[in-house]
Structure formats: C-alpha cells, structure tokens
C-alpha cells in the first residue's frame, strides 16, 4: 500500500472520554495513514453540545470528509463502537471498514440493567469527585504517556445518562447486518462483559472476524497500546481497494 492508497482512519472514543483517548494510536499511525479522532457530542471540546446518536453520526461523517480520502476505516471503542455501528447503518457509503473495540455485547434485555443503574447513579455524585477517582485510577494503572491526554481533556460524566439511555435497548448482533464493510471485532481478552456477544456479532456478518489482545481489559488500547495499534494497522492494510 502506497501513501496515496492509505486508508483514512477515524477514531471514536468511549464513555466519558474524548479524542484524547487515542493519542498513542494517532502518534503511531499518522505517518502511514490519514488519521483523525473525534469528540462525540457532550464530550471534550463538544462538552456543551447535547448528546444524540444522530449528532454523533454526523460528527463521524464530518471527520471522514475532512480527511478528503473517501470512505474511512472507523475505529470505535465502547460507546464509540455503538456510535460507529449507527454510522455504518446511516452512512454506509462513507465506511470502508469498521473496528469494534469493547462494543460486541448486546445492549438489550437484562444485560442492560446494571448500566441503567450506573447511568442513574452518576448524576448523584459530584463531577469533581468522579474526575478525581478517574484520574487516580488511570494514573495507577497506566503510564503517563498513555493516559495524560485523556486526563487533560477531562470527563463527560454529565453526558453519560443521556448517551447510555439512547444506546441501551438499541443494539444487538442484528445491527451487524446493516454493516456493508469488513469488520474487525477487537477486544481485550479479559473484557468479559463487552465480549459477551462477540460470537453472535461475528456470525451476523459475512466478513467479520475477532481478534483478542492477550491479558487486556475493556480499555485495551491503554492496556497494550502497541498490540491495539498493530491490529488496527494490519486490518487497514488488508482492506480491499475502493472501486
């Protein structure tokens, strides 16, 4: 693959985070691919914007268009993975490939109950206290070069209830049938909850495969940034040419 043929990559962050989640991946891949990372509505620089999946898909589409290279490989983590699934449904002509990271669990039925409870609990805890807890957790688990961009960008706890209220009950493996591009389901080996539907998600799509990052948890791109980046790179290089 020449530089002119390189697949454009758009990264979509997970719950409460922002584009800063992808700092390591952007730095590692920008010399090989056109890359962008978005802030979803209500997150990062769009903190004041109301959440909606419709707005999220528009933001992803704008990022794809900004790279000026046609359909893109969209990499979505957790909440961003479900937003990427919605983008795949609404804007299939702008999607060249899809990486779902920590987003291959059904958000319907009894599995959604704990997340509805968390979403209802978050507004009762002061945001500064939640931020302090998150800062301490990230700094305890990961080296500064992996998480400092995320910490500097702050957290979108105020958006969590609205975001998960719209996602919960909406996505199951049948959402994969709307995806017209190849799919990589990229999960941390130990991300038991968000891996729970990966077999069903894979069966629902004719060109989907699973890759696990050994010993990684839900934040697989933090747990093993190099392995995560390498998986995205290999998948991008294997995508069929446009047209």
């Amino acid at each position: 693959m020449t530089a002119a043929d390189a697949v454009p990559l758009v990264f979509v962050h997970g719950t409460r985070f922002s584009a800063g989640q992808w700092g390591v991946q952007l730095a590692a891949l920008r010399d090989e691919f056109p890359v962008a990372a978005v802030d979803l509505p209500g997150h990062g620089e769009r903190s004041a914007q109301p959440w909606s999946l419709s707005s999220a898909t528009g933001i992803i589409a704008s990022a794809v268009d900004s790279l000026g290279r046609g359909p893109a490989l969209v990499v979505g983590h957790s909440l961003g993975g479900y937003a990427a699934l919605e983008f795949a449904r609404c804007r299939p002509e702008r999607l060249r490939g899809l990486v779902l990271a920590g987003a291959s669990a059904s958000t319907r039925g009894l599995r959604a109950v704990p997340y509805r409870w968390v979403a209802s609990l978050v507004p009762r805890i002061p945001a500064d206290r939640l931020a302090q807890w998150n800062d301490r957790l990230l700094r305890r688990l990961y080296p500064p070069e992996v998480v400092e961009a995320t910490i500097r960008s702050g957290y979108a706890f105020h958006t969590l209830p609205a975001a998960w209220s719209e996602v919960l009950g909406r996505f199951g493996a049948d959402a994969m049938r709307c995806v017209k591009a190849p799919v990589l389901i990229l999960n941390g080996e130990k991300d038991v909850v968000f891996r729970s539907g990966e077999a069903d998600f894979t069966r629902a799509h004719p060109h989907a495969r699973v890759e696990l990052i050994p010993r990684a948890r839900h934040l697989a791109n933090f747990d093993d940034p190099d392995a995560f980046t390498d998986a995205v790179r290999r998948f991008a290089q294997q995508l069929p040419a446009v047209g």
Side-chain angles (χ1 to χ4, degrees):
M1 179 181 294
T2 66
D5 297 328
V7 179
L9 311 179
V10 173
F11 290 83
V12 190
H13 63 80
T15 299
R16 79 189 182 280
F17 290 155
S18 67
Q21 177 180 352
W22 302 109
V24 173
Q25 281 68 48
L26 296 181
L29 294 168
R30 65 167 52 104
D31 290 339
E32 304 169 62
F33 305 91
V35 295
V38 303
D39 285 332
L40 291 173
H43 298 74
E45 293 185 357
R46 292 188 171 92
S47 179
Q49 181 177 342
W51 165 268
S52 75
L53 271 175
S54 177
S55 295
T57 59
I59 288 166
I60 297 169
S62 294
V64 172
D65 292 346
S66 74
L67 294 175
R69 300 290 287 273
L73 169 58
V74 177
V75 182
H77 173 258
S78 195
L79 174 65
Y82 296 110
L85 273 172
E86 184 71 1
F87 172 78
R89 184 184 71 83
C90 297
R91 314 288 178 97
E93 75 285 354
R94 288 176 167 149
L95 186 71
R96 189 161 168 187
L98 176 63
V99 176
L100 293 178
S104 51
S106 174
T107 67
R108 300 173 181 155
L110 292 176
R111 290 185 181 277
V113 171
Y115 299 96
R116 294 189 189 279
W117 179 78
V118 170
S120 68
L121 179 64
V122 163
R124 305 177 191 179
I125 304 173
D128 58 348
R129 183 176 300 176
L130 289 169
Q132 289 172 2
W133 289 346
N134 272 258
D135 288 352
R136 291 170 187 161
L137 178 66
L138 292 178
R139 287 181 171 131
R140 185 169 72 245
L141 293 176
Y142 306 110
E145 63 270 17
V146 172
V147 296
E148 283 302 323
T150 293
I151 292 171
R152 284 197 304 272
S153 298
Y155 308 101
F157 295 110
H158 66 289
T159 301
L160 188 152
W164 279 103
S165 176
E166 190 173 13
V167 167
L168 292 173
R170 190 181 188 105
F171 294 98
D174 58 322
M176 294 285 283
R177 300 190 185 112
C178 297
V179 183
K180 307 305 180 185
V183 180
L184 173 64
I185 295 175
L186 182 60
N187 286 328
E189 178 189 17
K190 295 185 177 181
D191 187 13
V192 177
V193 172
F194 285 92
R195 281 187 58 196
S196 61
E198 67 185 13
D200 293 334
F201 274 58
T202 305
R203 282 193 295 268
H205 192 284
H207 303 291
R209 64 179 179 85
V210 175
E211 184 167 341
L212 298 181
I213 298 179
R215 298 175 297 280
R217 295 153 296 192
H218 186 54
L219 292 173
N221 75 302
F222 287 175
D223 286 320
D224 195 335
D226 291 341
F228 190 99
T229 301
D230 286 345
V232 172
R233 178 187 288 113
R234 283 185 274 104
F235 185 62
Q237 292 170 341
Q238 293 163 7
L239 289 174
V242 175

